[in-house]
Each structure stands twice: as structure tokens, then as C-alpha cells.
Amino acid sequence: MLNEIMAKATKMKGLEPHEALFLLETASNEALFDLAGSIKSAIYGSRVVLFAPLYLSNYCVNGCVYCPYRADNEDMPRKRLTQDQIRKEVQALTAMGHKRIVIETGEHPQESPIDYILESIDTIYKSGDIRRINVNIAATTEEDYRRLAAANIGTYILFQETYHRPTYEKLHPYGPKSDFDWHSGAMDRAIETGLHDVGIGALFGLADYRHEVAGLLNHAKHLETTYGVGPHTISVPRLPNGMVDDETFARIVAILRIAVPYTGIILSTREDELIRRKLLDIGVSQISGGSCTSVGGYAHSDDSRQFEISDTRNLHEIVTWLMDAGYTPSFCTACYREGRVGEKFMKLCKSGDIHDICQRNALKTLQEYLSGCSPAYGEGTPISHGLMEAKK
């Protein structure tokens, strides 16, 4: 059975959840990592998409036990950016070289309502050279999703946190997020109201990792079966509680790449340089760089972080590191701007044709980034050799 599933996986058409879980439990590291690496290379080539999070507000009415933003945390300084402060954050991100961001905010009906989110999106697009805004906000109504779709956003991202209902209910004791069914049905509402690209994720370390992998894969299958479009991205944040060790974490990423070959797999700066390097080889295709997880932290330092980061390098150091490792850092947002989203994007990804389109655009945006490097971000650094290697 193992050999049959491995052979099926080499066709890069994905696996059924039960097949993927069988590999997770039985396949050797070498077999898993080799297969996942070959699939990633065939579909994504050497390119790695770069982005940064932008935190707008940390006011929240939810009681998520694991989150510093929870409503009953009186030690958390509460902040919400004004539109002028958002402009300054965007200017700082643009100066770094970022073109793609994901906005983050706590759930609060007065401090971060949909009107505030939409106004902030408009401000961001008008304040610098950010070309695509992905949005990670709480599960909301069909009407709110329609308004987000009209605002020209990129991917709508929402983590289920944990797919294990008893654990979910225990860790979310109050607030709108405590409703498991409302939260887990968010992607259906989003797609049905015009958001073509959605991103799912689980916070590994809350419940048994096997259950989370099963949840992610079944969620992806449900979306693809129901709407013809699976998740544009799958995120794999991990709590630093030791419940999921590095080897198991690597196996999880490999399985996700094998089972859902078309999806982008996102890894944040929660993870350190060593594990990020390993996971790039076996599945991860998008990473954050030069990240700040506090409200207003790009323009001014503060103490309102949602979580500690392990990879503290600036964006230029990340770009150079990727190039030295043979990867092509990409700041491309062309698929969104050209309408290659939803089903159109999935068809290109599944056929492998997306590789040729994206590789050219990745190189163009990398050249644009390098030509704009300021002294503060390493102008004069001998990285032209890395660029030539990436072109090859």
C-alpha cells in the first residue's frame, strides 16, 4: 500500500486525506522529503514569495486562551492605528522593498469594524507601492465578504486554529470566535460571495498534529469538491510548546505539499533560520521577512507583539540568504492584477504552467528590488553572483 500511494503522489494530482495520513505515519523521512521536494520544485521552481504582516489593531472581544490579544489580558497595551499612522507603516514597508502584505487585526465590533478595515485597505493602496493586500480578519458575514471582494484584496486568510472541536471549544471560551461552526464555515461564505482565493491554516501545538493534518486536508478537499477551488494557501504556524518537534513539523509540511501540491505553503518568522531553510526544501513556498508582529511596529518600536519572532533578520538579509541558497526571492503580484485567481490560478498550478509565468515575473521583481536597495538595506553588498545563479 505504501508503494502504491507513493507512486500515485508522483503524478502530482494530490492524495485523499486517508492516503496522506497513511504516509505521515509510515513513510521514511528520506522518502517523504525527497518526494515533497521534487513536487515543490516541479510546480514552484526556485521562487519563494516574500511578504510582511501589518497589524492594524489589537483590540479584541474574544477569549482565545493562547493569544496575548485576548480580551481579559490586562497587561496588553491596546492600540489601533489611525489612517495617518497606517501611511507611515506603509512607507516603512515600501522602503524595505515589500510589495505584498497581509493585514491583521483583533476582532472588535467598535475598534476594528469592517468600515475601518476597508478604509485602511484604501489608505494602504494609496500610500506607497504595496501592490497586493491579503487580509487575515475574523470570520464575518456574507455582506462583509462582498465588501472585501469589492475592495480588490488578494487572498482572504483565516486559521481554524484547531480542527478538534472539544479542544477548540475549551480554548475559545467566549466571544464570537467561540462558535466552532460559524468559524469553520467562513471560507464557504467567503467563496460564495466573490472572494476567489482563500487561505486556511492550523496552529500546531493546540491539539494532536494528526488531527490537524486531517482537518486541513479534509477542509481543502471540501472546498475543491464544492467550489472547484481549493485553498490558495495553507499556513503552518506552530506554538513553542514542544508538542510538535522539528522532525514531526517537517513531516507535516512534506505531507501537505504531497497531498495538496498546488497550494502555497506559508511559514512565518515564528520559526528560526534553520527550520525555515529545511522546510523551504520540502514544501514551503511563501515566507515573511523583516516582520513585526506589533501594532505600529515598523515606524516605531513598541511592546504590543502578538507573538515573539525567531527569525529577526531584516528583509535584505533574508533576500541575500535565499539567493545564496539557490532560491529566487519573489515580490510578484501579477497573478492578482492579471486576474489569474481562483479556478484560473488552480488550472495553471495543476498543469505546471504557472512555473514559467511566475519564474519570469519573480526575476523581474527581484531585479526591481535590487535596483532600489538603499544603503540602509545593503546597497553595494556583493549579491550579483546570487542573482546570476537564480537566473539560471
Side-chain angles (χ1 to χ4, degrees), residues 36 39-40 44 47-49 51 200-201 204 216-217 231-237 249-268 276 279-280 282-288 345:
I39 291 173
K40 187 206 167 184
Y44 284 92
R47 67 190 183 279
V48 176
V49 172
F51 72 95
I200 63 177
F204 286 93
L216 286 168
L217 296 182
H232 190 81
T233 59
I234 296 178
S235 296
V236 288
F249 195 41
R251 290 178 65 84
I252 289 168
V253 170
I255 285 295
L256 293 174
R257 172 55 62 214
I258 293 166
V260 197
Y262 58 79
T263 197
I265 298 180
I266 299 177
L267 188 68
S268 77
R276 272 154 68 94
L279 298 186
L280 282 169
I282 59 174
V284 167
S285 56
Q286 299 187 26
I287 63 172
S288 51
F345 178 83

mmCIF file of all heavy atoms in Angstrom, residues 36 39-40 44 47-49 51 200-201 204 216-217 231-237 249-268 276 279-280 282-288 345:
data_model
loop_
_atom_site.group_PDB
_atom_site.id
_atom_site.type_symbol
_atom_site.label_atom_id
_atom_site.label_comp_id
_atom_site.label_asym_id
_atom_site.label_seq_id
_atom_site.Cartn_x
_atom_site.Cartn_y
_atom_site.Cartn_z
ATOM 1 N N ALA A 36 8.405 15.239 -1.592
ATOM 2 C CA ALA A 36 7.866 16.585 -1.412
ATOM 3 C C ALA A 36 8.740 17.621 -2.109
ATOM 4 O O ALA A 36 8.235 18.549 -2.756
ATOM 5 C CB ALA A 36 7.751 16.907 0.075
ATOM 6 N N ILE A 39 8.171 17.532 -5.885
ATOM 7 C CA ILE A 39 6.885 18.121 -6.259
ATOM 8 C C ILE A 39 6.950 19.646 -6.171
ATOM 9 O O ILE A 39 6.494 20.362 -7.073
ATOM 10 C CB ILE A 39 5.766 17.571 -5.358
ATOM 11 C CG1 ILE A 39 5.517 16.089 -5.682
ATOM 12 C CG2 ILE A 39 4.482 18.388 -5.523
ATOM 13 C CD1 ILE A 39 4.544 15.403 -4.740
ATOM 14 N N LYS A 40 7.537 20.136 -5.098
ATOM 15 C CA LYS A 40 7.641 21.586 -4.961
ATOM 16 C C LYS A 40 8.462 22.182 -6.096
ATOM 17 O O LYS A 40 8.106 23.204 -6.689
ATOM 18 C CB LYS A 40 8.263 21.964 -3.623
ATOM 19 C CG LYS A 40 8.224 23.477 -3.393
ATOM 20 C CD LYS A 40 9.287 23.968 -2.481
ATOM 21 C CE LYS A 40 9.354 25.493 -2.580
ATOM 22 N NZ LYS A 40 10.430 26.066 -1.793
ATOM 23 N N TYR A 44 6.712 24.909 -8.315
ATOM 24 C CA TYR A 44 7.095 26.260 -7.919
ATOM 25 C C TYR A 44 8.502 26.661 -8.337
ATOM 26 O O TYR A 44 8.862 27.843 -8.244
ATOM 27 C CB TYR A 44 6.957 26.417 -6.397
ATOM 28 C CG TYR A 44 5.530 26.558 -5.963
ATOM 29 C CD1 TYR A 44 4.775 25.451 -5.593
ATOM 30 C CD2 TYR A 44 4.915 27.799 -5.940
ATOM 31 C CE1 TYR A 44 3.446 25.575 -5.214
ATOM 32 C CE2 TYR A 44 3.589 27.948 -5.552
ATOM 33 C CZ TYR A 44 2.863 26.823 -5.195
ATOM 34 O OH TYR A 44 1.542 26.950 -4.827
ATOM 35 N N ARG A 47 11.447 29.734 -6.912
ATOM 36 C CA ARG A 47 10.964 31.004 -6.384
ATOM 37 C C ARG A 47 10.347 30.845 -4.989
ATOM 38 O O ARG A 47 9.718 29.837 -4.684
ATOM 39 C CB ARG A 47 9.957 31.639 -7.334
ATOM 40 C CG ARG A 47 8.658 30.899 -7.484
ATOM 41 C CD ARG A 47 7.812 31.472 -8.643
ATOM 42 N NE ARG A 47 6.530 30.803 -8.758
ATOM 43 C CZ ARG A 47 6.338 29.640 -9.349
ATOM 44 N NH1 ARG A 47 7.366 29.004 -9.885
ATOM 45 N NH2 ARG A 47 5.129 29.108 -9.409
ATOM 46 N N VAL A 48 10.533 31.880 -4.183
ATOM 47 C CA VAL A 48 9.956 31.952 -2.837
ATOM 48 C C VAL A 48 9.323 33.325 -2.685
ATOM 49 O O VAL A 48 10.004 34.350 -2.811
ATOM 50 C CB VAL A 48 11.022 31.738 -1.744
ATOM 51 C CG1 VAL A 48 10.409 31.912 -0.362
ATOM 52 C CG2 VAL A 48 11.677 30.369 -1.883
ATOM 53 N N VAL A 49 8.034 33.358 -2.450
ATOM 54 C CA VAL A 49 7.300 34.616 -2.320
ATOM 55 C C VAL A 49 7.558 35.226 -0.949
ATOM 56 O O VAL A 49 7.528 34.529 0.072
ATOM 57 C CB VAL A 49 5.792 34.379 -2.529
ATOM 58 C CG1 VAL A 49 4.996 35.634 -2.194
ATOM 59 C CG2 VAL A 49 5.520 33.941 -3.969
ATOM 60 N N PHE A 51 6.610 38.349 1.891
ATOM 61 C CA PHE A 51 5.551 39.257 2.327
ATOM 62 C C PHE A 51 5.851 39.704 3.748
ATOM 63 O O PHE A 51 6.787 39.229 4.402
ATOM 64 C CB PHE A 51 4.179 38.574 2.262
ATOM 65 C CG PHE A 51 3.986 37.520 3.330
ATOM 66 C CD1 PHE A 51 3.359 37.823 4.533
ATOM 67 C CD2 PHE A 51 4.458 36.231 3.134
ATOM 68 C CE1 PHE A 51 3.200 36.857 5.520
ATOM 69 C CE2 PHE A 51 4.296 35.260 4.106
ATOM 70 C CZ PHE A 51 3.664 35.567 5.300
ATOM 71 N N ILE A 200 -6.172 28.798 4.324
ATOM 72 C CA ILE A 200 -6.527 28.150 5.582
ATOM 73 C C ILE A 200 -5.267 27.869 6.391
ATOM 74 O O ILE A 200 -4.141 28.055 5.915
ATOM 75 C CB ILE A 200 -7.325 26.849 5.345
ATOM 76 C CG1 ILE A 200 -6.476 25.817 4.577
ATOM 77 C CG2 ILE A 200 -8.609 27.153 4.579
ATOM 78 C CD1 ILE A 200 -7.180 24.467 4.381
ATOM 79 N N GLY A 201 -5.437 27.406 7.624
ATOM 80 C CA GLY A 201 -4.284 27.097 8.454
ATOM 81 C C GLY A 201 -4.707 26.520 9.790
ATOM 82 O O GLY A 201 -5.865 26.633 10.197
ATOM 83 N N PHE A 204 -0.377 24.591 15.024
ATOM 84 C CA PHE A 204 0.106 23.311 15.530
ATOM 85 C C PHE A 204 0.640 23.458 16.946
ATOM 86 O O PHE A 204 1.377 24.391 17.256
ATOM 87 C CB PHE A 204 1.179 22.760 14.590
ATOM 88 C CG PHE A 204 0.613 22.223 13.311
ATOM 89 C CD1 PHE A 204 0.522 23.028 12.189
ATOM 90 C CD2 PHE A 204 0.123 20.927 13.245
ATOM 91 C CE1 PHE A 204 -0.028 22.550 11.014
ATOM 92 C CE2 PHE A 204 -0.425 20.436 12.078
ATOM 93 C CZ PHE A 204 -0.503 21.243 10.950
ATOM 94 N N LEU A 216 -7.038 19.901 7.998
ATOM 95 C CA LEU A 216 -6.612 20.739 6.875
ATOM 96 C C LEU A 216 -6.901 20.069 5.538
ATOM 97 O O LEU A 216 -7.405 20.700 4.602
ATOM 98 C CB LEU A 216 -5.117 21.046 6.990
ATOM 99 C CG LEU A 216 -4.706 22.066 8.057
ATOM 100 C CD1 LEU A 216 -3.194 22.053 8.245
ATOM 101 C CD2 LEU A 216 -5.178 23.470 7.664
ATOM 102 N N LEU A 217 -6.569 18.789 5.442
ATOM 103 C CA LEU A 217 -6.749 18.085 4.174
ATOM 104 C C LEU A 217 -8.229 17.904 3.842
ATOM 105 O O LEU A 217 -8.631 18.034 2.672
ATOM 106 C CB LEU A 217 -6.038 16.737 4.219
ATOM 107 C CG LEU A 217 -4.514 16.804 4.360
ATOM 108 C CD1 LEU A 217 -3.910 15.406 4.357
ATOM 109 C CD2 LEU A 217 -3.900 17.652 3.251
ATOM 110 N N PRO A 231 -7.743 25.604 -1.372
ATOM 111 C CA PRO A 231 -7.111 26.755 -0.727
ATOM 112 C C PRO A 231 -5.917 27.270 -1.515
ATOM 113 O O PRO A 231 -5.055 26.503 -1.931
ATOM 114 C CB PRO A 231 -6.682 26.211 0.638
ATOM 115 C CG PRO A 231 -6.538 24.734 0.420
ATOM 116 C CD PRO A 231 -7.588 24.361 -0.589
ATOM 117 N N HIS A 232 -5.880 28.573 -1.720
ATOM 118 C CA HIS A 232 -4.743 29.209 -2.388
ATOM 119 C C HIS A 232 -3.473 29.031 -1.552
ATOM 120 O O HIS A 232 -2.386 28.866 -2.102
ATOM 121 C CB HIS A 232 -5.033 30.696 -2.586
ATOM 122 C CG HIS A 232 -4.065 31.409 -3.469
ATOM 123 N ND1 HIS A 232 -4.139 31.367 -4.835
ATOM 124 C CD2 HIS A 232 -2.998 32.181 -3.170
ATOM 125 C CE1 HIS A 232 -3.156 32.089 -5.354
ATOM 126 N NE2 HIS A 232 -2.444 32.596 -4.358
ATOM 127 N N THR A 233 -3.643 29.071 -0.234
ATOM 128 C CA THR A 233 -2.510 28.867 0.670
ATOM 129 C C THR A 233 -2.932 28.037 1.875
ATOM 130 O O THR A 233 -4.110 28.007 2.248
ATOM 131 C CB THR A 233 -1.939 30.207 1.191
ATOM 132 O OG1 THR A 233 -2.965 30.923 1.891
ATOM 133 C CG2 THR A 233 -1.397 31.054 0.054
ATOM 134 N N ILE A 234 -1.945 27.368 2.467
ATOM 135 C CA ILE A 234 -2.097 26.715 3.766
ATOM 136 C C ILE A 234 -0.963 27.217 4.655
ATOM 137 O O ILE A 234 0.212 27.129 4.277
ATOM 138 C CB ILE A 234 -2.034 25.181 3.651
ATOM 139 C CG1 ILE A 234 -3.215 24.650 2.825
ATOM 140 C CG2 ILE A 234 -2.035 24.544 5.041
ATOM 141 C CD1 ILE A 234 -3.198 23.141 2.621
ATOM 142 N N SER A 235 -1.311 27.752 5.812
ATOM 143 C CA SER A 235 -0.308 28.267 6.750
ATOM 144 C C SER A 235 -0.064 27.261 7.855
ATOM 145 O O SER A 235 -0.981 26.545 8.279
ATOM 146 C CB SER A 235 -0.775 29.590 7.359
ATOM 147 O OG SER A 235 -0.901 30.595 6.376
ATOM 148 N N VAL A 236 1.178 27.214 8.326
ATOM 149 C CA VAL A 236 1.560 26.219 9.336
ATOM 150 C C VAL A 236 2.253 26.873 10.531
ATOM 151 O O VAL A 236 3.397 26.541 10.867
ATOM 152 C CB VAL A 236 2.457 25.120 8.726
ATOM 153 C CG1 VAL A 236 1.654 24.211 7.817
ATOM 154 C CG2 VAL A 236 3.642 25.729 7.955
ATOM 155 N N PRO A 237 1.593 27.798 11.227
ATOM 156 C CA PRO A 237 2.185 28.338 12.457
ATOM 157 C C PRO A 237 2.284 27.252 13.522
ATOM 158 O O PRO A 237 1.502 26.295 13.520
ATOM 159 C CB PRO A 237 1.204 29.442 12.862
ATOM 160 C CG PRO A 237 -0.103 28.994 12.285
ATOM 161 C CD PRO A 237 0.241 28.329 10.981
ATOM 162 N N PHE A 249 7.356 18.317 12.559
ATOM 163 C CA PHE A 249 6.920 19.506 11.830
ATOM 164 C C PHE A 249 7.323 19.407 10.357
ATOM 165 O O PHE A 249 6.532 19.726 9.456
ATOM 166 C CB PHE A 249 7.528 20.747 12.481
ATOM 167 C CG PHE A 249 6.902 22.040 12.069
ATOM 168 C CD1 PHE A 249 5.530 22.165 11.924
ATOM 169 C CD2 PHE A 249 7.691 23.153 11.849
ATOM 170 C CE1 PHE A 249 4.950 23.374 11.549
ATOM 171 C CE2 PHE A 249 7.132 24.365 11.480
ATOM 172 C CZ PHE A 249 5.759 24.485 11.324
ATOM 173 N N ALA A 250 8.539 18.957 10.112
ATOM 174 C CA ALA A 250 8.999 18.791 8.735
ATOM 175 C C ALA A 250 8.160 17.750 7.999
ATOM 176 O O ALA A 250 7.818 17.923 6.820
ATOM 177 C CB ALA A 250 10.472 18.401 8.718
ATOM 178 N N ARG A 251 7.809 16.671 8.668
ATOM 179 C CA ARG A 251 6.972 15.639 8.055
ATOM 180 C C ARG A 251 5.584 16.198 7.717
ATOM 181 O O ARG A 251 5.011 15.876 6.672
ATOM 182 C CB ARG A 251 6.854 14.422 8.974
ATOM 183 C CG ARG A 251 8.142 13.624 9.102
ATOM 184 C CD ARG A 251 7.988 12.448 10.080
ATOM 185 N NE ARG A 251 7.030 11.450 9.599
ATOM 186 C CZ ARG A 251 7.317 10.476 8.744
ATOM 187 N NH1 ARG A 251 8.550 10.373 8.252
ATOM 188 N NH2 ARG A 251 6.392 9.609 8.375
ATOM 189 N N ILE A 252 5.062 17.038 8.582
ATOM 190 C CA ILE A 252 3.757 17.655 8.336
ATOM 191 C C ILE A 252 3.801 18.499 7.066
ATOM 192 O O ILE A 252 2.919 18.407 6.196
ATOM 193 C CB ILE A 252 3.342 18.521 9.545
ATOM 194 C CG1 ILE A 252 2.990 17.639 10.735
ATOM 195 C CG2 ILE A 252 2.167 19.433 9.188
ATOM 196 C CD1 ILE A 252 2.852 18.406 12.039
ATOM 197 N N VAL A 253 4.819 19.345 6.963
ATOM 198 C CA VAL A 253 4.948 20.206 5.782
ATOM 199 C C VAL A 253 5.100 19.368 4.520
ATOM 200 O O VAL A 253 4.490 19.662 3.477
ATOM 201 C CB VAL A 253 6.123 21.183 5.952
ATOM 202 C CG1 VAL A 253 6.426 21.911 4.644
ATOM 203 C CG2 VAL A 253 5.819 22.191 7.054
ATOM 204 N N ALA A 254 5.911 18.321 4.583
ATOM 205 C CA ALA A 254 6.094 17.452 3.425
ATOM 206 C C ALA A 254 4.781 16.810 2.998
ATOM 207 O O ALA A 254 4.457 16.743 1.801
ATOM 208 C CB ALA A 254 7.141 16.384 3.735
ATOM 209 N N ILE A 255 4.009 16.328 3.965
ATOM 210 C CA ILE A 255 2.725 15.694 3.658
ATOM 211 C C ILE A 255 1.764 16.688 3.008
ATOM 212 O O ILE A 255 1.047 16.368 2.051
ATOM 213 C CB ILE A 255 2.109 15.082 4.928
ATOM 214 C CG1 ILE A 255 2.844 13.796 5.302
ATOM 215 C CG2 ILE A 255 0.624 14.819 4.749
ATOM 216 C CD1 ILE A 255 2.700 12.672 4.290
ATOM 217 N N LEU A 256 1.716 17.906 3.527
ATOM 218 C CA LEU A 256 0.837 18.912 2.936
ATOM 219 C C LEU A 256 1.240 19.206 1.495
ATOM 220 O O LEU A 256 0.372 19.350 0.613
ATOM 221 C CB LEU A 256 0.864 20.190 3.769
ATOM 222 C CG LEU A 256 0.254 20.098 5.169
ATOM 223 C CD1 LEU A 256 0.475 21.392 5.938
ATOM 224 C CD2 LEU A 256 -1.244 19.776 5.100
ATOM 225 N N ARG A 257 2.534 19.300 1.238
ATOM 226 C CA ARG A 257 2.992 19.541 -0.131
ATOM 227 C C ARG A 257 2.621 18.380 -1.050
ATOM 228 O O ARG A 257 2.186 18.581 -2.189
ATOM 229 C CB ARG A 257 4.515 19.764 -0.131
ATOM 230 C CG ARG A 257 5.154 19.844 -1.515
ATOM 231 C CD ARG A 257 4.503 20.900 -2.402
ATOM 232 N NE ARG A 257 4.634 22.226 -1.857
ATOM 233 C CZ ARG A 257 3.719 23.187 -1.990
ATOM 234 N NH1 ARG A 257 2.596 22.935 -2.633
ATOM 235 N NH2 ARG A 257 3.901 24.377 -1.470
ATOM 236 N N ILE A 258 2.766 17.160 -0.572
ATOM 237 C CA ILE A 258 2.453 15.977 -1.389
ATOM 238 C C ILE A 258 0.951 15.859 -1.624
ATOM 239 O O ILE A 258 0.503 15.565 -2.746
ATOM 240 C CB ILE A 258 2.991 14.708 -0.694
ATOM 241 C CG1 ILE A 258 4.524 14.714 -0.681
ATOM 242 C CG2 ILE A 258 2.473 13.448 -1.376
ATOM 243 C CD1 ILE A 258 5.138 13.688 0.266
ATOM 244 N N ALA A 259 0.158 16.086 -0.579
ATOM 245 C CA ALA A 259 -1.285 15.859 -0.665
ATOM 246 C C ALA A 259 -2.026 16.991 -1.374
ATOM 247 O O ALA A 259 -3.056 16.761 -2.014
ATOM 248 C CB ALA A 259 -1.859 15.671 0.739
ATOM 249 N N VAL A 260 -1.517 18.226 -1.245
ATOM 250 C CA VAL A 260 -2.151 19.389 -1.889
ATOM 251 C C VAL A 260 -1.072 20.124 -2.685
ATOM 252 O O VAL A 260 -0.631 21.212 -2.306
ATOM 253 C CB VAL A 260 -2.795 20.322 -0.834
ATOM 254 C CG1 VAL A 260 -3.799 21.264 -1.497
ATOM 255 C CG2 VAL A 260 -3.486 19.538 0.273
ATOM 256 N N PRO A 261 -0.616 19.529 -3.777
ATOM 257 C CA PRO A 261 0.582 20.028 -4.459
ATOM 258 C C PRO A 261 0.462 21.443 -5.011
ATOM 259 O O PRO A 261 1.471 22.149 -5.135
ATOM 260 C CB PRO A 261 0.804 19.010 -5.587
ATOM 261 C CG PRO A 261 -0.497 18.311 -5.760
ATOM 262 C CD PRO A 261 -1.140 18.305 -4.414
ATOM 263 N N TYR A 262 -0.757 21.884 -5.324
ATOM 264 C CA TYR A 262 -0.931 23.195 -5.948
ATOM 265 C C TYR A 262 -0.880 24.351 -4.960
ATOM 266 O O TYR A 262 -0.706 25.505 -5.347
ATOM 267 C CB TYR A 262 -2.277 23.240 -6.683
ATOM 268 C CG TYR A 262 -3.462 22.969 -5.782
ATOM 269 C CD1 TYR A 262 -3.980 23.956 -4.951
ATOM 270 C CD2 TYR A 262 -4.056 21.710 -5.746
ATOM 271 C CE1 TYR A 262 -5.051 23.693 -4.112
ATOM 272 C CE2 TYR A 262 -5.142 21.448 -4.922
ATOM 273 C CZ TYR A 262 -5.633 22.441 -4.104
ATOM 274 O OH TYR A 262 -6.696 22.186 -3.272
ATOM 275 N N THR A 263 -1.072 24.088 -3.680
ATOM 276 C CA THR A 263 -1.239 25.174 -2.719
ATOM 277 C C THR A 263 0.089 25.831 -2.351
ATOM 278 O O THR A 263 1.144 25.200 -2.365
ATOM 279 C CB THR A 263 -1.926 24.659 -1.437
ATOM 280 O OG1 THR A 263 -2.434 25.765 -0.692
ATOM 281 C CG2 THR A 263 -0.957 23.891 -0.549
ATOM 282 N N GLY A 264 0.024 27.128 -2.022
ATOM 283 C CA GLY A 264 1.175 27.789 -1.428
ATOM 284 C C GLY A 264 1.230 27.469 0.053
ATOM 285 O O GLY A 264 0.200 27.537 0.732
ATOM 286 N N ILE A 265 2.383 27.090 0.546
ATOM 287 C CA ILE A 265 2.535 26.798 1.975
ATOM 288 C C ILE A 265 3.317 27.942 2.615
ATOM 289 O O ILE A 265 4.425 28.272 2.169
ATOM 290 C CB ILE A 265 3.238 25.452 2.210
ATOM 291 C CG1 ILE A 265 2.394 24.311 1.626
ATOM 292 C CG2 ILE A 265 3.467 25.222 3.709
ATOM 293 C CD1 ILE A 265 2.997 22.924 1.813
ATOM 294 N N ILE A 266 2.730 28.534 3.657
ATOM 295 C CA ILE A 266 3.272 29.745 4.274
ATOM 296 C C ILE A 266 3.914 29.425 5.611
ATOM 297 O O ILE A 266 3.324 28.753 6.456
ATOM 298 C CB ILE A 266 2.158 30.787 4.477
ATOM 299 C CG1 ILE A 266 1.546 31.187 3.132
ATOM 300 C CG2 ILE A 266 2.693 32.016 5.205
ATOM 301 C CD1 ILE A 266 0.377 32.157 3.265
ATOM 302 N N LEU A 267 5.127 29.969 5.814
ATOM 303 C CA LEU A 267 5.845 29.828 7.087
ATOM 304 C C LEU A 267 6.262 31.212 7.559
ATOM 305 O O LEU A 267 6.877 31.972 6.812
ATOM 306 C CB LEU A 267 7.080 28.936 6.905
ATOM 307 C CG LEU A 267 7.820 28.535 8.177
ATOM 308 C CD1 LEU A 267 6.954 27.591 9.014
ATOM 309 C CD2 LEU A 267 9.146 27.865 7.838
ATOM 310 N N SER A 268 5.944 31.527 8.801
ATOM 311 C CA SER A 268 6.211 32.863 9.326
ATOM 312 C C SER A 268 7.532 32.913 10.079
ATOM 313 O O SER A 268 8.243 31.920 10.230
ATOM 314 C CB SER A 268 5.072 33.295 10.263
ATOM 315 O OG SER A 268 5.204 32.651 11.522
ATOM 316 N N ARG A 276 13.423 27.128 8.905
ATOM 317 C CA ARG A 276 12.895 27.738 7.689
ATOM 318 C C ARG A 276 13.668 27.254 6.464
ATOM 319 O O ARG A 276 13.077 26.940 5.421
ATOM 320 C CB ARG A 276 12.958 29.274 7.806
ATOM 321 C CG ARG A 276 11.697 29.838 8.464
ATOM 322 C CD ARG A 276 11.915 31.159 9.150
ATOM 323 N NE ARG A 276 12.193 32.294 8.323
ATOM 324 C CZ ARG A 276 11.263 33.159 7.864
ATOM 325 N NH1 ARG A 276 9.984 32.937 8.080
ATOM 326 N NH2 ARG A 276 11.616 34.224 7.184
ATOM 327 N N LEU A 279 12.550 23.613 5.668
ATOM 328 C CA LEU A 279 11.197 23.488 5.161
ATOM 329 C C LEU A 279 11.031 24.100 3.776
ATOM 330 O O LEU A 279 10.135 23.704 3.025
ATOM 331 C CB LEU A 279 10.206 24.114 6.138
ATOM 332 C CG LEU A 279 10.164 23.473 7.533
ATOM 333 C CD1 LEU A 279 9.047 24.083 8.369
ATOM 334 C CD2 LEU A 279 9.980 21.966 7.446
ATOM 335 N N LEU A 280 11.882 25.045 3.408
ATOM 336 C CA LEU A 280 11.859 25.565 2.048
ATOM 337 C C LEU A 280 12.166 24.460 1.040
ATOM 338 O O LEU A 280 11.609 24.425 -0.057
ATOM 339 C CB LEU A 280 12.870 26.701 1.893
ATOM 340 C CG LEU A 280 12.453 28.066 2.439
ATOM 341 C CD1 LEU A 280 13.642 29.007 2.461
ATOM 342 C CD2 LEU A 280 11.323 28.671 1.601
ATOM 343 N N ILE A 282 11.401 21.341 1.254
ATOM 344 C CA ILE A 282 10.436 20.239 1.184
ATOM 345 C C ILE A 282 8.986 20.695 1.093
ATOM 346 O O ILE A 282 8.073 19.879 1.225
ATOM 347 C CB ILE A 282 10.583 19.296 2.398
ATOM 348 C CG1 ILE A 282 10.359 20.040 3.709
ATOM 349 C CG2 ILE A 282 11.937 18.619 2.387
ATOM 350 C CD1 ILE A 282 10.355 19.134 4.926
ATOM 351 N N GLY A 283 8.761 21.990 0.859
ATOM 352 C CA GLY A 283 7.357 22.346 0.687
ATOM 353 C C GLY A 283 6.982 23.802 0.815
ATOM 354 O O GLY A 283 6.080 24.284 0.132
ATOM 355 N N VAL A 284 7.616 24.549 1.712
ATOM 356 C CA VAL A 284 7.236 25.941 1.936
ATOM 357 C C VAL A 284 7.557 26.772 0.698
ATOM 358 O O VAL A 284 8.634 26.653 0.120
ATOM 359 C CB VAL A 284 7.956 26.503 3.176
ATOM 360 C CG1 VAL A 284 7.826 28.021 3.249
ATOM 361 C CG2 VAL A 284 7.394 25.866 4.443
ATOM 362 N N SER A 285 6.595 27.629 0.304
ATOM 363 C CA SER A 285 6.795 28.457 -0.884
ATOM 364 C C SER A 285 6.602 29.947 -0.623
ATOM 365 O O SER A 285 6.860 30.759 -1.499
ATOM 366 C CB SER A 285 5.823 28.020 -1.993
ATOM 367 O OG SER A 285 4.479 28.069 -1.540
ATOM 368 N N GLN A 286 6.149 30.308 0.581
ATOM 369 C CA GLN A 286 5.986 31.711 0.936
ATOM 370 C C GLN A 286 6.483 31.924 2.366
ATOM 371 O O GLN A 286 6.150 31.137 3.255
ATOM 372 C CB GLN A 286 4.516 32.147 0.854
ATOM 373 C CG GLN A 286 3.901 32.030 -0.521
ATOM 374 C CD GLN A 286 2.507 32.626 -0.584
ATOM 375 O OE1 GLN A 286 2.157 33.511 0.190
ATOM 376 N NE2 GLN A 286 1.695 32.161 -1.532
ATOM 377 N N ILE A 287 7.274 32.976 2.565
ATOM 378 C CA ILE A 287 7.752 33.299 3.906
ATOM 379 C C ILE A 287 7.656 34.801 4.143
ATOM 380 O O ILE A 287 7.726 35.597 3.208
ATOM 381 C CB ILE A 287 9.210 32.827 4.154
ATOM 382 C CG1 ILE A 287 10.185 33.546 3.218
ATOM 383 C CG2 ILE A 287 9.333 31.326 4.018
ATOM 384 C CD1 ILE A 287 11.646 33.283 3.541
ATOM 385 N N SER A 288 7.506 35.161 5.394
ATOM 386 C CA SER A 288 7.580 36.567 5.765
ATOM 387 C C SER A 288 9.037 36.935 6.002
ATOM 388 O O SER A 288 9.868 36.089 6.310
ATOM 389 C CB SER A 288 6.735 36.840 7.007
ATOM 390 O OG SER A 288 7.058 35.922 8.046
ATOM 391 N N PHE A 345 -6.204 30.269 -11.566
ATOM 392 C CA PHE A 345 -4.898 30.018 -10.953
ATOM 393 C C PHE A 345 -4.705 28.524 -10.705
ATOM 394 O O PHE A 345 -3.629 27.979 -10.945
ATOM 395 C CB PHE A 345 -4.778 30.800 -9.645
ATOM 396 C CG PHE A 345 -3.479 30.560 -8.921
ATOM 397 C CD1 PHE A 345 -2.338 31.258 -9.268
ATOM 398 C CD2 PHE A 345 -3.391 29.625 -7.897
ATOM 399 C CE1 PHE A 345 -1.130 31.038 -8.618
ATOM 400 C CE2 PHE A 345 -2.201 29.394 -7.235
ATOM 401 C CZ PHE A 345 -1.059 30.106 -7.597
#
